[in-house]
Amino acid sequence: MESTGFFIFTVIKNRYENKNTSILIIIFTSNSLYSQTSFNKTQSIALPAGGGNAPYNIASGLIDNDAFPDIAVSTTLGNSVYWLKNDGIGDFTLQSTAISSTLNSAGGVAIAHLNNDGFNDVVTTSYNDNKIAWFANDGLGNFGTE
């Protein structure tokens, strides 16, 4: 795929296949998310039209409680947050339901355990309405409303 430019947003150090390796995440201006593990495997994941416009920030952590680090991505123009499931060998699948599509210029995103239920939740900023939105996770990757 050709792109006019790209931004490297983060390098995530995490456990992968019981080894300490890095996952390099690059977001291209064409609204695709690339994942690269051990620097020998790449995967393009197109975000949905409209809601996937302008991927802005990413985070890595356990979302579906299967021991493999997943990815959350926020989109500024799309006003959405999505998550991508890791299958354990470094292949990521965009989940069909967005965590949220009602934000007003989604910005930063984080995965953290916030409500003492044993599961990581997702937190994001919503720039144009000056708020932080928290989405509780049931441990299977299903999220409540903000």
Side-chain angles (χ1 to χ4, degrees), residues 3-83:
S3 177
T4 58
F6 64 92
F7 304 94
I8 298 175
F9 276 83
T10 191
V11 175
I12 302 165
K13 288 242 180 216
N14 218 324
R15 207 172 87 179
Y16 171 72
E17 291 183 336
N18 296 321
K19 302 175 194 168
N20 286 326
T21 60
S22 297
I23 299 173
L24 175 65
I25 306 295
I26 301 173
I27 297 183
F28 283 75
T29 58
S30 63
N31 296 334
S32 291
L33 183 72
Y34 279 76
S35 69
Q36 191 167 4
T37 59
S38 302
F39 303 106
N40 63 3
K41 182 177 187 176
T42 61
Q43 178 186 4
S44 172
I45 302 167
L47 297 175
N53 287 342
Y56 183 73
N57 216 330
I58 58 171
S60 174
L62 298 178
I63 290 179
D64 59 354
N65 224 24
D66 65 359
F68 306 119
D70 304 299
I71 296 172
V73 59
S74 65
T75 64
T76 54
L77 297 179
N79 302 314
S80 300
V81 177
Y82 298 95
W83 78 279

Side-chain angles (χ1 to χ4, degrees), residues 59-63 72 109-124 134-137 143:
S60 174
L62 298 178
I63 290 179
V109 65
I111 299 171
H113 178 218
L114 298 174
N115 60 352
N116 204 28
D117 65 357
F119 307 119
N120 283 334
D121 307 304
V122 171
V123 179
T124 187
W134 165 53
F135 302 95
N137 177 12
F143 292 89

